[in-house]
Amino acid sequence: MIIILLGAPGAGKGTQADLIGERLGLVTIASGNLLRENIGNGTPLGLRADAYMQRGELVPDGLVIDMVTARLKAPDVARGVILDGFPRTLGQAQALDANLAAQHKQVDRALYLKVTDEALLDRLSGRWICRNCQASYHEKFNPPRVGGVCDLCGGELYQRNDDRRDVMENRLRVYFDQTMPVIEYYQANGTLVEIDGAQDIEKVGEDLLAAVGPVPAVVVEGVTDSSAA
Ligand code: AMP
């Protein structure tokens, strides 16, 4: 099962991808996290991507498509995947479709988390991320149990450079220009389901799981958490 999570920066994609990924027993691939890993490791891709990300611009399609396509070949993806932050342009959506079609697969659901602009700015400005496992927290809406420390792995929490207000405004502009057409693309081909992302985290998660519906048996096979079924 191939699931895409769509929505503006700050709509809650990362939090929800992890939440529903765990429930469904599917691996999550977040293109932003892959890029930050490359930057952290000083890879050639990371060196090229860094400047775009610092400005709140999109990393060029070719780089991101190659990176995600390579990741989709890993064995842990065979049963299905939740894609967070990819595709973000029409070119990426078409490349993903072509790549999946070559493996006789397709996007099963494009889940669109809809949140108002004011709420997005509010959320992004209080966001903290775990340096170790990338879990996302919010000062007001989803605080960690101990300030500055990740609930899940005890890692150090930090604020991303591109969550600064000026860069954030640019990221939102880029989103409206380049990613809204992706939402229209999935709407036109009938895979889009819109979810109210302004609700509390648990309710958004429930709505997303309901939109995914029953997962084919092959997907939940081997999942240890019995709630996954
Ligand atoms: P995110 O963690 O999803 O908010 O992404 C952070 C930044 O990484 C974005 O502002 C872009 O600069 C870059 N990025 C992440 N995913 C993509 C993508 N699919 N296409 C292009 N750039 C991306």
Side-chain angles (χ1 to χ4, degrees):
M1 176 160 257
I2 315 285
I3 298 170
I4 291 176
L5 269 183
L6 294 162
K13 296 188 300 295
T15 304
Q16 294 297 339
D18 291 345
L19 206 139
I20 67 168
E22 198 179 315
R23 285 293 304 276
L24 298 171
L26 295 179
V27 90
T28 301
I29 297 178
S31 48
N33 287 349
L34 290 180
L35 289 166
R36 281 183 288 277
E37 270 167 39
N38 274 279
I39 293 173
N41 294 332
T43 67
L45 167 61
L47 292 175
R48 291 189 62 188
D50 195 20
Y52 293 99
M53 292 174 71
Q54 298 267 2
R55 291 193 297 265
E57 291 169 14
L58 293 186
V59 175
D61 274 359
L63 297 178
V64 180
I65 290 167
D66 287 351
M67 175 186 76
V68 175
T69 306
R71 178 65 185 85
L72 285 172
K73 291 192 180 126
D76 62 342
V77 175
R79 293 185 309 160
V81 66
I82 298 173
L83 285 170
D84 160 15
F86 180 93
R88 253 179 164 94
T89 65
L90 265 186
Q92 292 177 17
Q94 286 157 351
L96 175 66
D97 276 355
N99 187 278
L100 292 174
Q103 304 171 55
H104 310 289
K105 293 181 186 166
Q106 63 190 21
V107 171
D108 295 291
R109 295 278 189 292
L111 305 173
Y112 171 33
L113 284 180
K114 199 169 177 185
V115 178
T116 62
D117 298 2
E118 304 85 72
L120 292 174
L121 286 169
D122 234 28
R123 286 182 180 191
L124 285 169
S125 52
R127 182 153 85 164
W128 291 79
I129 312 281
C130 174
R131 219 177 264 294
N132 181 44
C133 74
Q134 318 294 332
S136 174
Y137 298 88
H138 192 281
E139 286 168 8
K140 212 158 80 187
F141 309 118
N142 179 30
R145 282 193 293 270
V146 179
V149 180
C150 178
D151 289 355
L152 302 178
C153 74
E156 179 200 357
L157 303 184
Y158 77 106
Q159 287 205 289
R160 279 169 44 177
N161 277 338
D162 62 350
D163 279 349
R164 284 197 338 255
R165 194 169 184 100
D166 54 331
V167 180
M168 225 156 63
E169 283 170 359
N170 198 27
R171 285 167 63 203
L172 286 178
R173 239 189 326 271
V174 165
Y175 166 75
F176 285 109
D177 288 351
Q178 307 203 47
T179 308
M180 283 311 278
V182 176
I183 289 165
E184 285 154 19
Y185 174 82
Y186 289 113
Q187 189 157 40
N189 74 15
T191 37
L192 193 84
V193 182
E194 191 173 303
I195 307 288
D196 177 5
Q199 309 172 95
D200 64 48
I201 291 177
E202 287 73 26
K203 179 70 173 78
V204 174
E206 281 169 23
D207 285 3
L208 288 169
L209 289 169
V212 172
V215 177
V218 64
V219 174
V220 290
E221 187 188 319
V223 173
T224 47
D225 177 3
S226 57
S227 64

